[in-house]
Every structure is written in C-alpha cells, then in structure tokens.
Amino acid sequence: MALDFTFTEEQKMLEDSVYRWAMDWLEPQMEHLYEVDEMPPDLFKETAKLGINGIVFEEKYGGTEMGYVETTLAYETIARVSNALSMTVGASQTLCFDNFRRNATEEQKMEILPKSVTGEYIGCLGITEPNAGSDAMSLATKAEKKGDKYIINGSKIFITNGPVADIFTFYAKTDPEKGPHGISAFWFNMKDAKGLTVEKIKKWGHRTSPTGLMTFEDVEIPEDQLIGGLNKGVAVLTSGLCTERITLCGCTLGSQRRCLEESLKYAKERVQFGKPISSFQLIQGKLADMYCDYKASKWMAYSAAAYCDSLENKSGGKGTDLDRMAAAALLYCGEKGTKIGLDAIQIHGGYGYCTEYAVTRHFLDQKLWDIGAGTSEVRRIIIARELMRDNFASGL
Ligand SMILES: Cc1cc2nc3c(=O)[nH]c(=O)nc-3n(C[C@H](O)[C@H](O)[C@H](O)COP(=O)(O)OP(=O)(O)OC[C@H]3O[C@@H](n4cnc5c(N)ncnc54)[C@H](O)[C@@H]3O)c2cc1C
C-alpha cells in the first residue's frame, strides 16, 4: 500500500510562491475590497505571473502542464487569503477554460487559451438559470439556427465573473424536443455581443467575486462557436464536472486552514478570567475538532485529485468512481468548512462578528460551498447513485 501524503518539492515551491503573493499583494487589500465588493482589476495578470492560469494546459497553449493536485493546491493557497477570489480564478480557469480545452477544436483552442493564460481573457461559465438550478437539464435558454448563426434567447443566473468576463461559455437548447439530448455548448467573446445584458448580483458572502445575471435577447453567435458539436452539450458539461468539484475543494480548504490558524493565534492571545481562552477545555475542544475536520477534508480532496491525475482522460461523469469521489470531496469539505467557519467566529466572540477580522470573510464565503457546483443534497444523491450502481466494486 503506497501511502505518501507529502507534497513534492515542486508542489511545495508552488505553494510557497502563491502564498507569498497572496499575503503580500492580496491580503492588504482584502478588507477594503470586501467592503466595496470589487475584484482587484489586475487579479488575472497577477495569477498569470504565478503560472496558475494555465496550470493544467499543454505548453503549446502557454500552460504549465501540471495536474489537478497542483490546481487544488494553488486554489487552497489563494483561499487562505480569499475564498471568493480563489473561486473567481477557478471559475475562469477551470470551469470555463479547462472545459473549453477538453472539448473545443484545435483552432478554437489556439485562438482562446493563450490569452487566458496571460490573463488577457477572463472566462465564465453559464449553466444555472432562474428556473433551472439543481435540475440543470431543464434549462430553457434557446439557440435557434438562422443561416450560419445561432440566435440566443434566455437567461443565466449566478454566473461567477459574468460582470468582468471576456469569454462566456454556456449551454442552450438547440433541439428542445430532445430534452437533455438537445442541449449544446457555445462560446463567444462578450465584447462582440449585441443583445446581452449583465447585471451584477448583490451578495452577503463571496463579495469581491463578481456574480452576474446574464440576459440574452437575440444574441447572434456564429455557428462555428459551438463547442463539442451539435446536441453534445451534456457530454461537454459532464466532462469537466468532477475536476471542477475537486479543484474547488481548494477554496474551502484555504478558508478552513486560515480559520484554524487565526483561531489558534487569537485563543492564545485573548485573556478572560485571568487566563488565555486557549486554556479553557471548551475552546480546546473546538480547536481539536477544527484540526480533525481540516485534515480529513484535505485527505478527501487531494486523494480525489491524485486519483483524477492518475486517469488517462482525467475525467469522470456518471458511472465512474471519480464521480463519487469528487462529489464526496466537495460535500465533506463544504460542510466541514462551514462548521469550522462557525467555530472560528465563536472563538473570536464579538470580534468575530466585525468585518475587520479575516475569519468573518472566510465564514461568509465558506457557506457557498454547501450550494455552488451542485448543492450538498445533489452531491449526496450522486454519491448514493454511484454506491448503488450494479458494477460498483472499488473505492471503499
Ligand atoms: C455565489 C454563487 C456563484 C455561482 N456560480 C455559478 C457559475 O459560475 N455558473 C453557474 O452555472 N452556476 C453558478 N452558481 C449556481 C449554483 O450552482 C446553484 O445555485 C446551485 O446549483 C443550486 O441551484 P439553485 O440555487 O437554483 O437551487 P435549487 O436547485 O432551487 O435548490 C433549492 C434547494 O432545494 C434542494 N433540492 C433541489 N433538488 C433536490 C432534490 N432532488 N432532492 C433534494 N433536495 C433538492 C437544493 O439542494 C437546495 O437546498 C453559483 C451560485 C452562487 C450562489
């Protein structure tokens, strides 16, 4: 049994460089940015310098050719400062561009991916609609063929990076009669689009990560901007879901770690009843639980990432072990992260209720991970479905 839970020297170097950048560049801005709910405009140019943008992309697209373990580690490390901005990077680079890389033509990839690596292009992905959330296949956005174009009508909600993105990948019904078999994936450059309106959504958490309501009114998209072929949208969508769920675990892991670190520090400094509060066993119990939950979450996430990296196609989907592992990793990381966030607030007492403390932001951001990328309920449904499939044989 080969069990080695240590990161390689290369992975540790990645972690160190991202952490130094996050603490030096991002941390000093965070309180203000959170207050005004703004993404730092240079974010993607900065992450380009760190080699994060094309972290799994092939060299020909400007990528670094690392794996999903490294991607998760990069997202965890950004999230030690900002869970929300780690998600913003992930929404662009993993949800939008990595899935584009898996499914687009070589010509499309050469046109788009190098600019995503340099930070010139920011991406967003639109699946969710006002009336199609967990039941994503019931989406109602329509793409009607007229000559050599598709005319798009409908709307997408909760789209991370929608208000700042350049490239928008999304799903629409091209053959509504066929249900899930009549869905296609598209991309377009938002700067070229007429008829698209973007409204920024106000949120109490994940502030700094811009979220949009995107409305299409007769938006024209050239027919060659289909991704993966006509009516192949479900295959495109599912090819990236597992890597999305796994790498986004990094967002919650970073918050978990920061909450534990801040709580340990605060508990040792804060004196009540003549002693540091860390000397009280009720506080010690919380710290011990936070540690166990973080370590277990970390194992769930990185073991799923390492398993994914070991697969030739690095892809999951219905009927695969990766599907179960990815859903389980995000379910566990999300729920434990929310508990850790609550414990961190509790340890900080009244100060934990004030916006100047980093734990407050981490707690507010963290709650998203019981909802986004498929809710906790949906993840449980996936895990149970995969456990109950007839040929389920491995992975316990
Ligand atoms: C900040 C933020 C960023 C996001 N970013 C993106 C993005 O970039 N792109 C994108 O496409 N989407 C994005 N989303 C959308 C997100 O994926 C959805 O919110 C999520 O899938 C849930 O959909 P819903 O909000 O419509 O909830 P609903 O599906 O309406 O669910 C409401 C409740 O019912 C439960 N429920 C639903 N069906 C079942 C069932 N069968 N059994 C048991 N319980 C059920 C849910 O678990 C939930 O608790 C984002 C959301 C947020 C809040």
Side-chain angles (χ1 to χ4, degrees), residues 125-128 133-134 158-160 203 368 371 373 375 377 381:
L125 166 73
I127 303 172
T128 310
S134 301
F158 301 133
I159 306 310
T160 300
K203 315 188 296 300
L368 174 68
I371 298 167
T375 62
E377 289 77 12
I381 292 168

Side-chain angles (χ1 to χ4, degrees), residues 138-317:
S138 68
L139 65 88
T141 297
K142 267 198 206 149
E144 283 173 290
K145 185 91 189 288
K146 285 222 172 113
D148 58 358
K149 292 193 169 76
Y150 283 93
I151 313 296
I152 318 291
N153 281 288
S155 58
K156 298 283 171 186
I157 195 163
F158 301 133
I159 306 310
T160 300
N161 298 341
V164 295
D166 304 280
I167 303 297
F168 189 5
T169 57
F170 70 97
Y171 298 87
K173 288 254 164 84
T174 29
D175 197 341
E177 306 289 296
K178 291 189 181 160
H181 302 291
I183 295 173
S184 301
F186 294 89
W187 73 274
F188 67 103
N189 190 325
M190 287 169 61
K191 307 279 184 300
D192 302 336
K194 287 198 184 78
L196 179 78
T197 50
V198 184
E199 205 178 304
K200 187 172 166 183
I201 297 172
K202 289 185 186 167
K203 315 188 296 300
W204 53 251
H206 261 241
R207 292 166 69 80
T208 66
S209 172
T211 312
L213 167 63
M214 329 286 282
T215 307
F216 299 88
E217 269 184 89
D218 292 329
V219 175
E220 292 186 0
I221 298 189
E223 64 177 341
D224 61 1
Q225 291 182 201
L226 267 172
I227 309 171
L230 184 63
N231 293 336
K232 298 281 187 266
V234 174
V236 174
L237 192 150
T238 51
S239 69
L241 263 185
C242 288
T243 43
E244 289 164 21
R245 291 202 171 112
I246 291 168
T247 55
L248 293 177
C249 286
C251 303
T252 148
L253 289 174
S255 279
Q256 292 186 27
R257 180 169 178 168
R258 181 70 183 270
C259 283
L260 174 57
E261 287 167 346
E262 294 289 330
S263 299
L264 266 174
K265 186 164 157 277
Y266 186 80
K268 285 185 201 161
E269 285 167 6
R270 176 71 174 168
V271 173
Q272 289 294 283
F273 300 99
K275 295 176 188 165
I277 61 168
S278 60
S279 65
F280 304 134
Q281 287 184 342
L282 286 171
I283 297 291
Q284 290 174 5
K286 284 193 207 310
L287 292 168
D289 286 351
M290 290 165 90
Y291 166 78
C292 294
D293 288 345
Y294 170 60
K295 292 298 271 189
S297 297
K298 204 167 172 176
W299 184 82
M300 292 285 285
Y302 286 103
S303 62
Y307 176 67
C308 181
D309 281 336
S310 76
L311 300 173
E312 203 178 332
N313 64 357
K314 301 191 192 326
S315 189

